[in-house]
Amino acid sequence: MNTIDKFNSHVTHSYSRYPLVMEKGSGRRCKDENGKEYIDLGSGVGTNSLGYCDEKWADAVCAQVRTLQHNSNYYYTAVQAEFAEKLCETAGYKSLFFCNSGAEANECAIKTARKYSFDKYGKGRHNIITLVNSFHGRTMATLSATGQDVFHNYFFPFLEGFINVTANDIDDLKAKLDDTVCAVMIEYIQGEGGVNALDKKFVDAIYDLCAEKDVLVIADEVQTGVGRTGKFLAGEHFGKKADITTLAKGIAGGIPMGACLFGEKCSEVLTPGTHGSTFGGNPIACAGGLAVLERVTSDGFLDEVTEKAEYIRKKLEDCSEIESISGIGLMIGITLKTKKASDVVKKALENGLLILTAKEKVRLLPPLTIDMDEIDKGIEILKQILEE
Ligand SMILES: *Cc1c(COP(=O)(O)O)cnc(C)c1O
């Protein structure tokens, strides 16, 4: 049996996949089983932040595999301590909880926000405001938090206690932010929702109102964090630091890892027995994360991300099929005039280019390490498809 048949006979069909078997990658390119090469402007949905099999990252991960691959959270490990320290320092947070994915990081944020409020104010202040068109994950709580009706099917009953506000509608926010609310949860740039950055004014209003009422701000930076937008956290573009920030995707360069970061208010909310994860903070994932952090915080790295992002955006400017370009940094949404994004993605595959969609848009999330030559080649392929 070939790979695709074998796969489809045994893996449940919860994804619609392209008929393509990826075999290996190096730098910002990967090859399928037939040896066909692809330039990657999707980086495994923003996860391979350093591209494929980056040498230093791979060395760090392999060394950890050969030293201590896992123990449990009943003990301490140096690599976890080191990663936690560096991540808190870099992001400007007091403490964190390690988990294995974006949804888990958001689960942790939701639990922490509710406990913060319960500890301080007692019952009845459990609601969390999330935004229409948001995406926070696939677990029951994070699906319930997700502000898109398409996700609210089949699995009833969903979790109570989430209230949706229309993004950028300050009046809607004011009307719903009552004394039953313990937190407002946002993506500064809605990723899955279509690469839409929030208005600065709306973000300001959230922080002002929340500060007045001791309501926590949770920033879901699972997609926007760890350098994606040219800043370590996207909140920096808005001059804001959330009480809780969640990270995953690119944080460990392609190894499952998530983190929920706590500022002053929440750093001691989770007490022994209130939360846990068998794999959370796994040493291999932490070693990968350290290698990513070392690179992303190295001199000039984030400035280069910004330069590359501007270069890509400039190159796309004169394309007649493009209506508009959204997002910040290397999180790029492209609205097309006549073509369907999904058709463009398929055409790109045929032409050796990996890209993504987000709703009706074409979405680019290149590895942060992409170089100008690869950008030239990749964007050339994309433009040819768009203009033919
Ligand atoms: C991808 C994503 C998630 C879910 O992350 P998983 O690792 O798939 O659980 C949550 N929030 C945002 C903003 C995301 O982009």
Side-chain angles (χ1 to χ4, degrees):
M1 234 194 262
N2 70 30
T3 297
I4 291 178
D5 290 341
K6 195 192 294 186
F7 193 102
N8 282 334
S9 312
H10 299 95
V11 179
T12 198
H13 301 112
S14 62
Y15 288 94
S16 49
R17 295 173 199 266
Y18 300 102
L20 187 74
V21 181
M22 284 303 178
E23 195 167 276
K24 57 185 171 185
S26 171
R28 279 71 57 179
R29 295 169 194 239
C30 58
K31 281 187 177 165
D32 67 19
E33 62 178 356
N34 302 316
K36 180 174 168 181
E37 192 175 69
Y38 301 82
I39 292 179
D40 189 353
L41 299 185
S43 64
V45 197
T47 294
N48 293 338
S49 36
L50 305 182
Y52 292 97
C53 310
D54 175 85
E55 199 116 342
K56 276 191 182 157
W57 172 88
D59 283 348
V61 168
C62 292
Q64 188 61 48
V65 170
R66 293 182 183 286
T67 308
L68 181 81
Q69 87 280 21
H70 176 81
N71 200 300
S72 76
N73 283 312
Y74 297 124
Y75 315 108
Y76 296 92
T77 54
V79 67
Q80 195 181 120
E82 208 174 317
F83 184 44
E85 180 185 57
K86 186 115 203 255
L87 186 53
C88 281
E89 270 175 20
T90 306
Y93 281 83
K94 190 113 201 300
S95 70
L96 58 74
F97 179 86
F98 282 128
C99 52
N100 314 286
S101 68
E104 281 180 55
N106 288 334
E107 285 273 345
C108 179
I110 290 164
K111 284 178 70 175
T112 303
R114 284 187 171 178
K115 185 166 184 299
Y116 171 82
S117 189
F118 178 81
D119 288 348
K120 211 162 159 184
Y121 303 99
K123 279 190 178 165
R125 201 173 174 274
H126 56 261
N127 284 326
I128 295 178
I129 288 181
T130 63
L131 301 183
V132 174
N133 210 32
S134 57
F135 181 80
H136 297 299
R138 297 287 197 160
T139 61
M140 285 306 296
T142 56
L143 264 188
S144 304
T146 290
Q148 300 188 51
D149 290 338
V150 288
F151 289 106
H152 298 156
N153 289 304
Y154 320 120
F155 313 116
F156 307 100
F158 287 89
L159 220 72
E160 288 176 45
F162 294 95
I163 299 171
N164 296 146
V165 160
T166 304
N168 301 322
D169 186 339
I170 296 175
D171 292 333
D172 194 23
L173 174 70
K174 280 184 178 158
K176 290 171 181 164
L177 215 175
D178 58 21
D179 56 12
T180 68
V181 174
C182 64
V184 176
M185 184 167 177
I186 56 170
E187 298 156 87
Y188 290 107
I189 310 165
Q190 295 187 333
E192 303 308 308
V195 197
N196 300 309
L198 296 180
D199 292 347
K200 173 97 174 52
K201 271 192 180 158
F202 182 65
V203 174
D204 286 343
I206 291 172
Y207 276 83
D208 289 348
L209 287 166
C210 286
E212 262 171 45
K213 294 170 179 280
D214 191 22
V215 167
L216 301 173
V217 179
I218 302 171
D220 177 348
E221 293 231 30
V222 167
Q223 193 161 151
T224 55
V226 198
R228 172 60 49 194
T229 66
K231 305 273 189 198
F232 189 73
L233 296 179
E236 295 169 51
H237 292 286
F238 296 82
K240 300 291 188 237
K241 191 155 82 193
D243 298 294
I244 303 175
T245 286
T246 57
L247 299 173
K249 288 202 165 81
I251 190 174
I255 295 182
M257 156 68 69
C260 186
L261 311 182
F262 305 117
E264 211 57 62
K265 278 188 180 178
C266 299
S267 68
E268 299 298 333
V269 169
L270 295 178
T271 47
T274 54
H275 200 46
S277 163
T278 298
F279 283 119
N282 168 273
I284 302 166
C286 287
L290 262 177
V292 168
L293 266 190
E294 245 150 56
R295 192 76 55 84
V296 170
T297 58
S298 65
D299 264 358
F301 185 93
L302 289 175
D303 292 335
E304 275 178 37
V305 167
T306 301
E307 277 162 35
K308 290 179 226 175
E310 279 165 7
Y311 185 67
I312 293 177
R313 287 160 192 272
K314 185 120 195 75
K315 282 187 87 78
L316 290 170
E317 236 169 36
D318 66 352
C319 178
S320 58
E321 170 60 16
I322 294 178
E323 175 80 38
S324 59
I325 301 172
S326 66
I328 303 176
L330 286 180
M331 188 165 170
I332 301 171
I334 303 170
T335 304
L336 305 174
K337 285 186 182 152
T338 60
K339 290 191 158 61
K340 261 184 73 183
S342 54
D343 293 339
V344 173
V345 171
K346 275 183 213 143
K347 251 303 175 28
L349 267 184
E350 284 167 26
N351 291 287
L353 177 70
L354 304 184
I355 53 175
L356 305 162
T357 61
K359 289 281 168 69
E360 76 294 348
K361 291 182 191 173
V362 167
R363 173 173 47 156
L364 308 181
L365 294 172
L368 306 181
T369 52
I370 187 115
D371 70 22
M372 294 301 188
D373 180 50
E374 286 154 341
I375 291 174
D376 285 343
K377 291 199 174 102
I379 297 299
E380 201 45 51
I381 297 172
L382 178 60
K383 280 168 94 170
Q384 264 173 23
I385 295 166
L386 292 180
E387 280 165 2
E388 78 192 2

